[in-house]
């Protein structure tokens, strides 16, 4: 699944009798994380749908679909998500984070029902467009909601929920796709928004949004619910109010175009570009077709299930390593792993198709290559671009710039998924995977030259480095007033 994380600055000095309670995994915060992450499950299911479904659509007696139309079934969702990413920015600000997320549930249901009942390809395309719009809105709104509701000290673990549950959505789609026809799989997709909608009704709007609208009492109630009935929240309420005042006084959309912020935006856009041009969504959208094309000895539907499992498990591996080894080291490993596996897969296809060598004894190689490729991607280039977007974008422009980066990511996703078949026809399967491998290799140099290491640094330290600004000192009237700051700008 796709996530925006924020690392907040706090002092490590603990003061007895502080108004801040020790961070804890309250039931309320876990419920909020699960509720929002159910939306990520729908996104994961939507992204993976075409992999098992297109193979069955093309052999279906219920619907007639051409190769070009099939490419649009895969490519239309990320194109609509591009529009949703742009629309999501204003929506979360004007109607609220929770209402924006809630309003995606019913369109998700309608979109899947259109696909499930379709007897002409145009209804399938309409359903994919509606789902794609919701995917774009959700991919921006989900991390914003979690970033504003979960305590920073436990956000690393609870913040994993959207990615993990999103990967469960992919896995469910792959497993069900082995046994269900394409329209039956769509009926399953239409059931997912129901628990999502019910859980979202159980959680409140974010305290920060209430504060931004001057609804202080509602903000206090929401924060008290999230932190627990007996938790002291006075200092956190004060910090949220101060942060909101600072953003209101200083922020402007024109600042996004300021030269001092362009470096941070360029790095985020670069990471998004190499994330998508690595070919990941071509692999996720068309997993079954890739195995069918490669002549793998493993059943194509079983292969997709194995791929889903690898994608799911690797999420937890990335979480265990990301704060120990650092972002750049993992990005190096990720780039090299993807480059090597894509080159090996391309070479396998070239030897088989162009040199006409018997490779039947190597039928396990395509599955192994893609498994290792996905492991490498999920280790760094999957989660880190979203994590670093929250870390290196300055607070003053974070909302608007994040919307631009999200939309750009979906634009790249559309380009890759829509042109995948065209590239296959133009340069062949071997050339296609070699091309993706070369892009991953270029991405390695981009990381070496441009991407900063952010592990263990506060947002202020990162922002000072990115903008060339001198660090600001904090003035405290007394050592007694130095307290942990569980929420920052």
């Amino acid at each position: 699944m796709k996530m925006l994380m924020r690392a907040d600055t706090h002092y490590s000095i603990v003061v007895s009798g502080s108004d801040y309670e020790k961070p804890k995994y309250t039931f309320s915060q876990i419920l909020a994380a699960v509720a929002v992450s159910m939306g990520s499950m729908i996104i994961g299911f939507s992204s993976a749908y075409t992999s098992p479904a297109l193979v069955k659509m093309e052999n279906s007696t219920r619907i007639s679909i051409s190769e070009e139309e099939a490419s649009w079934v895969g490519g239309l969702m990320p194109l609509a998500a591009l529009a949703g990413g742009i629309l999501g920015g204003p929506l979360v600000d004007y109607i609220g984070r929770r209402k924006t997320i809630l309003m995606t549930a019913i369109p998700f249901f309608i979109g899947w029902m259109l696909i499930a009942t379709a007897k002409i390809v145009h209804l399938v395309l309409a359903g994919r467009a509606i789902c794609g719009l919701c995917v774009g809105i959700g991919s921006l709104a989900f991390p914003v909601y979690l970033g504003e509701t979960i305590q920073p000290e436990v956000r690393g673990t609870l913040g994993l929920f959207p990615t993990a549950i999103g990967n469960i959505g992919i896995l469910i789609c792959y497993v069900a796709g082995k046994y269900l026809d394409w329209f039956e799989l769509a009926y399953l997709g239409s059931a997912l928004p129901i628990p999502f909608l019910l859980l979202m009704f159980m959680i409140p709007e974010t305290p920060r949004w209430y504060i931004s609208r001057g609804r202080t009492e509602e903000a206090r109630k929401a924060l008290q619910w999230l932190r627990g009935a007996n938790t002291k929240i006075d200092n956190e309420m004060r910090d949220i109010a101060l942060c909101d005042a600072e953003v209101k006084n200083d922020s402007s959309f024109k600042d996004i175009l300021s030269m001092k912020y362009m470096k941070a935006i360029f790095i985020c856009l670069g990471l998004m570009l190499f994330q998508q041009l690595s070919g990941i969504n071509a692999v996720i959208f068309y997993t079954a077709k890739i195995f069918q094309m490669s002549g793998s000895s493993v059943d194509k539907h079983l292969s997709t299930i194995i791929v889903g499992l690898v994608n799911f498990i690797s999420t937890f591996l990335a979480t265990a390593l990301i704060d120990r080894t650092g972002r750049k080291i993992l990005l190096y490993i990720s780039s090299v792993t993807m480059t090597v596996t894509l080159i090996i897969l391309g070479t396998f296809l070239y030897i088989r198709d162009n040199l006409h060598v018997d490779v039947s004894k190597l039928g396990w190689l395509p599955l192994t290559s893609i498994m290792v490729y996905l492991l490498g991607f999920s280790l760094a280039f999957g989660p880190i671009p979203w994590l670093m977007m929250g870390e290196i974008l300055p607070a003053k422009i974070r909302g608007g710039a994040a919307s631009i980066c999200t939309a750009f990511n979906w634009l790249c996703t559309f380009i890759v998924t829509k042109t995948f078949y065209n590239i296959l026809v133009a340069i062949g399967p071997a050339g296609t995977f070699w091309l993706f491998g070369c892009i991953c290799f270029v991405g390695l140099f981009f990381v070496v030259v441009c991407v900063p290491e952010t592990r263990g640094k506060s947002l202020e330290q990162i922002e000072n480095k990115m903008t060339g600004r001198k660090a600001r000192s904090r003035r405290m009237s007394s050592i007694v007033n130095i307290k942990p700051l569980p929420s920052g700008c």
Side-chain angles (χ1 to χ4, degrees):
M1 176 52 247
K2 298 174 176 178
M3 275 193 323
L4 175 61
M5 298 292 294
R6 292 182 1 189
D8 292 283
T9 307
H10 65 278
Y11 291 101
S12 59
I13 300 174
V14 179
V15 181
S16 178
S18 169
D19 286 340
Y20 289 109
E21 296 286 331
K22 182 180 179 181
K24 54 188 176 182
Y25 295 95
T26 63
F27 173 78
S28 302
Q29 291 187 82
I30 294 172
L31 176 61
V34 171
V36 170
S37 299
M38 284 299 296
S40 292
M41 179 183 286
I42 306 174
I43 291 178
F45 192 95
S46 301
S47 298
Y49 174 76
T50 51
S51 179
L54 280 181
V55 175
K56 295 182 178 180
M57 270 187 193
E58 292 175 351
N59 299 317
S60 175
T61 57
R62 175 171 170 164
I63 195 170
S64 176
I65 185 169
S66 66
E67 284 285 327
E68 180 64 22
E69 288 169 338
S71 73
W72 274 107
V73 171
L76 191 58
M77 193 208 78
L79 182 63
L82 163 62
I86 297 172
L87 182 62
L91 280 176
V92 295
D93 284 337
Y94 289 117
I95 70 171
R97 285 73 160 123
R98 177 176 171 272
K99 286 182 180 177
T100 299
I101 295 171
L102 268 172
M103 67 176 285
T104 64
I106 293 177
F108 261 132
F109 175 80
I110 293 171
W112 281 115
M113 287 301 295
L114 281 175
I115 297 171
T117 57
K119 294 187 178 179
I120 57 173
V121 72
H122 296 88
L123 287 179
V124 176
L125 294 173
R128 289 289 285 173
I130 293 172
C131 288
L133 191 67
C134 296
V135 165
I137 294 172
S139 63
L140 180 70
F142 299 160
V144 170
Y145 183 93
L146 290 181
E148 295 185 355
T149 54
I150 298 176
Q151 286 175 284
E153 293 86 351
V154 297
R155 194 177 295 152
T157 302
L158 296 183
L160 171 67
F161 279 30
T163 302
I165 296 179
N167 285 336
I168 290 175
I170 294 175
L171 183 59
I172 289 172
C173 187
Y174 283 163
V175 173
K178 179 176 173 61
Y179 304 102
L180 301 180
D181 207 340
W182 63 270
F183 60 92
E184 296 170 329
L185 192 61
Y187 277 122
L188 177 59
S190 69
L192 296 179
I194 297 173
F196 170 52
L197 183 65
L198 294 176
L199 286 173
M200 283 303 303
F201 275 122
M202 299 171 67
I203 64 176
E205 180 56 81
T206 72
R208 287 176 183 270
W209 187 80
Y210 277 137
I211 288 287
S212 71
R213 292 296 180 268
R215 297 158 66 174
T216 306
E217 190 55 36
E218 290 169 285
R220 179 175 291 277
K221 289 179 181 178
L223 187 61
Q224 194 73 70
W225 184 88
L226 287 162
R227 301 296 181 255
N230 299 320
T231 304
K232 297 178 181 179
I233 61 169
D234 290 342
N235 279 6
E236 189 169 359
M237 280 291 296
R238 178 204 64 198
D239 291 336
I240 293 173
L242 290 173
C243 181
D244 178 70
E246 181 180 339
V247 171
K248 280 184 177 179
N249 290 335
D250 294 336
S251 62
S252 170
F253 187 77
K254 292 186 297 183
D255 290 321
I256 295 176
L257 303 178
S258 173
M259 287 302 298
K260 71 175 180 177
Y261 298 134
M262 288 307 295
K263 181 180 178 182
I265 295 174
F266 169 75
I267 292 171
C268 287
L269 292 177
L271 287 171
M272 295 297 185
L273 178 71
F274 287 110
Q275 181 195 67
Q276 292 305 319
L277 295 191
S278 68
I280 182 60
N281 274 298
V283 172
I284 294 296
F285 279 47
Y286 303 114
T287 303
K289 275 190 164 292
I290 289 172
F291 285 113
Q292 188 180 50
M293 173 187 67
S294 65
S296 172
S297 60
V298 184
D299 177 72
K300 61 180 179 292
H301 294 297
L302 178 60
S303 299
T304 60
I305 294 172
I306 294 172
V307 165
L309 280 170
V310 171
N311 199 35
F312 174 65
I313 294 170
S314 59
T315 303
F316 296 96
L317 179 61
T319 305
L321 294 175
I322 199 166
D323 283 323
R324 297 183 182 182
T325 61
R327 280 65 160 150
K328 292 195 73 164
I329 294 296
L330 286 184
L331 286 169
Y332 295 157
I333 296 171
S334 181
S335 298
V336 172
T337 302
M338 290 192 294
T339 301
V340 171
T341 52
L342 288 169
I343 295 298
I344 289 174
L345 182 58
T347 303
F348 170 86
L349 295 172
Y350 180 81
I351 291 173
R352 189 197 67 182
D353 298 337
N354 296 76
L355 302 183
H356 306 292
V357 175
D358 182 16
V359 292
S360 57
K361 293 183 179 180
L362 297 174
W364 51 269
L365 189 60
L367 175 60
T368 304
S369 296
I370 289 182
M371 284 174 60
V372 178
Y373 164 83
L374 280 173
L375 180 63
F377 177 84
S378 299
L379 191 64
F381 260 100
I384 287 180
W386 298 99
L387 173 64
M388 293 195 72
M389 184 172 74
E391 290 179 330
I392 69 175
L393 288 178
K396 192 174 181 180
I397 63 163
R398 190 170 293 141
S403 183
I404 291 172
C405 293
T406 301
F408 179 74
N409 184 283
W410 284 112
L411 174 63
C412 294
T413 303
F414 167 73
I415 292 171
V416 171
T417 53
K418 182 63 183 73
T419 61
F420 181 64
Y421 278 133
N422 304 94
I423 297 172
L424 280 175
V425 172
I427 61 178
T432 301
F433 289 109
W434 281 340
L435 175 63
F436 287 143
C438 290
I439 292 172
C440 291
F441 189 61
V442 175
L444 173 62
F445 287 96
F446 174 80
V447 173
V448 172
V449 175
C450 300
V451 178
E453 179 55 70
T454 58
R455 179 173 65 102
K457 296 180 180 178
S458 70
L459 288 184
E460 186 177 47
Q461 289 173 322
I462 297 169
E463 184 169 337
N464 290 337
K465 182 176 180 181
M466 297 302 299
T467 60
R469 186 181 63 193
K470 293 183 179 180
R472 293 176 297 178
S473 60
R474 294 178 183 262
R475 293 187 297 174
M476 300 292 175
S477 58
S478 168
I479 190 67
V480 177
N481 291 325
I482 301 180
K483 299 177 177 122
L485 302 179
S487 107
C489 298

